[in-house]
Amino acid sequence: MSRSFSDRRRFFLFFMAAPAVLYVLAVGVWPLAQGIWYSFFNYNLLRPARTKFVGLGNYVEIFSDRSARQAIANTFQFTIASVSLQLIFGFGLALLLWRDSRFNRIALAFLLVPATITPLVVGLIFKALLGADYGLVGYFLADAGIGPRTGFLTDAGTALWVLILIDCWEWTPLMALILLAGLKSLPNDVLEAGRTDGATALQRFTLLILPLMLPSIFLALMLRMMDAFRVFDSVFVTTGGGPNDATNTLMVLAVKEGLQFFNVGYASAIGNITMLFIAVMAAVLLLVVRGADVRINGK
Amino acid sequence: MSKVSKRQIVFERTAVLVITVLFLLPVLWLITTAYKPSNQIFSIPPKLGFQPTLDQFRGILSYFDVVSLLRSSVVISLGTTVLSLLLGVPAGYALARSRSRYANFFAYFFLAIRMVPAIAALIPFYLMMRDIGLLGSWWAVIIINTMLNCAFVTWMMFSYFRALPRDMEEAALTDGCTQIGAFLKVAVPAVRSGIIACVLFCVMFSWNDFLYPMFLTTLDSKPISVALLTAYGTKDVTWGSLGALAHFSTIPIVLMALFLNRYFVQGATNGVQ
């Protein structure tokens, strides 16, 4: 730091950052703060005159209402299952695509198509494909006696798992892409040394590749976890939360409460709880990965 | 490089090919559905063969003003992208070059904003827009999309600019270049690919989103994503016409992503390095 950091430079940088910060505060943070405020009221847009301060009442109701509890459980099941499946499949896919070739680059471009398609359309595609009475996939599976006669998406036992698989279809390639970037930035000499030392493929994977990949795995898990926990589009279109709350998630519940029944206070509380869960999960993920890093890579 | 057996490469490529085809089959189904006559889409048992027809497209064009839907989508996506870049690129630069202790905090604050669940801000924002009379206009959607995207652009550009050595700009500054000149003529061109990645993400996000426009637009300002949702479930719209409508909503974005694929890859992975 030989050159002094002039006041002029400091002012310039300040004015470069100021518009974005002010904009996000005004359009993002202000509504969020208002949302926290609303969550302490029994506030319905259709009956604004009956607005009443209820303190933590809305939050208590979330945890005592059976349907909301189910939505919390569903959201966790969805997030944990889909993100771990995507990690496993995505890692496998990344290893397959590791060798740099024209073939692999073109394949990757096409593999990313699901991630670019409107999530709404993704939901509609699978809804049509999986219908038991007419769907191309659903009909034959039902005919072969695999799965419920009413179709996978309309059966309470399978619907959530179908949504998890749809999520995997859409996002596994993106997971693979992030992990692939990690694989490509691994130091070549270390891998080479492992090979000349005669380590088996499995040993190289668990003892060399995996520990070195921890930062990429962390990033991929974090990004996907945050998105999966906010899942809305595909659920809303395919099942709308049904049958019987079997696929209700926190976001679907909040949108229904807030924008269909105009229960602003309750919906805001659900939104805030979701944010809180995401923050806690991010913190836990951070601690787990730190712990793993210390255990595997030493200090 | 160590030698790799031919057999292993053949195995890898076959596996990649099979997986790619499996991933693309549902998309292929959607595309072909649009060219099937209505009575052949759902025959029982389902059939693979069909006689191609453009009936579905004719139907769609008579129900929907596709031009107006596309115009809304384009206005919303372009408006969002331009505003997000105008706000986000300078902010990302400032945070990357700042020597303040708080720079990192602000960068992660922007990332956190992008991760907030839509609904938490949507209801208060909806009331805000109602009060200032912007509800139902493209502006309402552009304003909230810009908030989310400029937060994301700031964070992405922060990591791009941070990876860029300071030397060139500092040389330009000592040569008498103005601060803004050093930014526009030296730093921005050097992170071109990062900016293209940001454009791709902004366009993709605002083109595909339907939750905000569904509640913030009216009949004549709604984009194609909302039309898809309202079309689904009305009696006279079949899966075939949905497939046809989906052509207009997915093909522009998929083509863009395929052509700019290199930047897509860079953008999605720049956090790793």
Side-chain angles (χ1 to χ4, degrees), chain A residues 36 39-41 53-64 266 269 273:
Chain A
I36 293 175
S39 74
F40 300 123
F41 290 86
F53 182 79
V54 291
L56 292 174
N58 285 321
Y59 294 92
V60 173
E61 199 187 328
I62 293 174
F63 288 99
S64 51
Y266 190 56
I273 286 279

Side-chain angles (χ1 to χ4, degrees), chain A residues 190-233:
Chain A
V190 178
L191 298 177
E192 206 56 46
R195 208 169 281 138
T196 43
D197 284 352
T200 64
L202 186 69
Q203 282 170 333
R204 283 204 304 267
F205 180 73
T206 51
L207 299 174
L208 283 177
I209 299 176
L210 216 49
L212 288 169
M213 283 289 286
L214 274 178
S216 313
I217 294 175
F218 171 68
L219 181 83
L221 282 181
M222 192 71 114
L223 290 177
R224 285 303 310 135
M225 180 274 282
M226 285 170 161
D227 276 346
F229 206 81
R230 296 180 301 163
V231 63
F232 172 73
D233 298 27

Side-chain angles (χ1 to χ4, degrees), chain A residues 13-29, chain B residues 83-95 106 109-110 113 146-155:
Chain A
L13 292 179
F14 178 80
F15 285 113
M16 294 277 277
V21 173
L22 289 178
Y23 190 91
V24 169
L25 288 178
V27 184
V29 176
Chain B
L83 281 176
S84 307
L85 290 181
L86 283 178
L87 290 166
V89 176
Y93 174 78
L95 291 180
F106 271 107
F109 161 75
F110 278 108
I113 283 290
T146 298
M147 185 272 292
L148 291 167
N149 283 297
C150 106
F152 187 63
V153 169
T154 304
W155 184 71

Side-chain angles (χ1 to χ4, degrees), chain A:
Chain A
M1 234 151 277
S2 53
R3 202 187 312 270
S4 75
F5 201 58
S6 72
D7 281 347
R8 243 178 87 199
R9 181 86 177 138
R10 196 169 290 143
F11 274 120
F12 173 72
L13 292 179
F14 178 80
F15 285 113
M16 294 277 277
V21 173
L22 289 178
Y23 190 91
V24 169
L25 288 178
V27 184
V29 176
W30 174 240
L32 280 180
Q34 267 186 314
I36 293 175
W37 177 245
Y38 291 154
S39 74
F40 300 123
F41 290 86
N42 191 345
Y43 175 25
N44 190 308
L45 272 188
L46 303 176
R47 295 182 297 275
R50 277 199 240 158
T51 301
K52 200 174 75 197
F53 182 79
V54 291
L56 292 174
N58 285 321
Y59 294 92
V60 173
E61 199 187 328
I62 293 174
F63 288 99
S64 51
D65 179 41
R66 219 183 54 82
S67 147
R69 275 210 310 262
Q70 167 104 46
I72 295 175
N74 286 342
T75 311
F76 272 100
Q77 186 186 338
F78 180 90
T79 306
I80 293 168
S82 67
V83 175
S84 18
L85 285 174
Q86 285 165 39
L87 180 67
I88 296 166
F89 293 137
F91 215 128
L93 194 54
L95 289 171
L96 278 175
L97 291 165
W98 196 357
R99 208 181 302 288
D100 193 41
S101 70
R102 201 181 156 74
F103 178 86
N104 281 349
R105 279 197 298 272
I106 294 175
L108 184 62
F110 279 99
L111 275 170
L112 287 170
V113 165
T116 58
I117 289 189
T118 316
L120 188 73
V121 173
V122 171
L124 292 173
I125 294 177
F126 281 95
K127 186 166 175 145
L129 278 177
L130 292 172
D133 42 355
Y134 52 73
L136 209 51
V137 177
Y139 178 87
F140 288 113
L141 286 181
D143 213 37
I146 305 165
R149 193 72 235 184
T150 47
F152 287 94
L153 273 168
T154 40
D155 185 276
T158 53
L160 191 60
W161 285 102
V162 174
L163 289 173
I164 289 168
L165 290 180
I166 295 176
D167 201 64
C168 288
W169 177 78
E170 202 178 355
W171 299 113
T172 298
L174 192 72
M175 183 74 112
L177 174 69
I178 300 174
L179 295 172
L180 183 63
L183 282 177
K184 288 198 167 161
S185 63
L186 291 184
N188 227 329
D189 45 338
V190 178
L191 298 177
E192 206 56 46
R195 208 169 281 138
T196 43
D197 284 352
T200 64
L202 186 69
Q203 282 170 333
R204 283 204 304 267
F205 180 73
T206 51
L207 299 174
L208 283 177
I209 299 176
L210 216 49
L212 288 169
M213 283 289 286
L214 274 178
S216 313
I217 294 175
F218 171 68
L219 181 83
L221 282 181
M222 192 71 114
L223 290 177
R224 285 303 310 135
M225 180 274 282
M226 285 170 161
D227 276 346
F229 206 81
R230 296 180 301 163
V231 63
F232 172 73
D233 298 27
S234 59
V235 183
F236 189 71
V237 198
T238 46
T239 64
N244 227 341
D245 289 340
T247 60
N248 220 6
T249 63
L250 281 168
M251 278 300 89
V252 175
L253 186 67
V255 170
K256 270 191 211 159
E257 286 289 339
L259 298 161
Q260 284 173 2
F261 310 134
F262 298 105
N263 249 328
V264 172
Y266 190 56
S268 299
I270 300 174
N272 298 337
I273 286 279
T274 310
M275 273 194 286
L276 198 68
F277 276 137
I278 292 181
V280 169
M281 283 170 66
V284 169
L285 195 55
L286 189 67
L287 287 178
V288 169
V289 171
R290 278 247 173 94
D293 199 26
V294 170
R295 209 172 55 241
I296 300 176
N297 294 337
K299 274 290 206 126

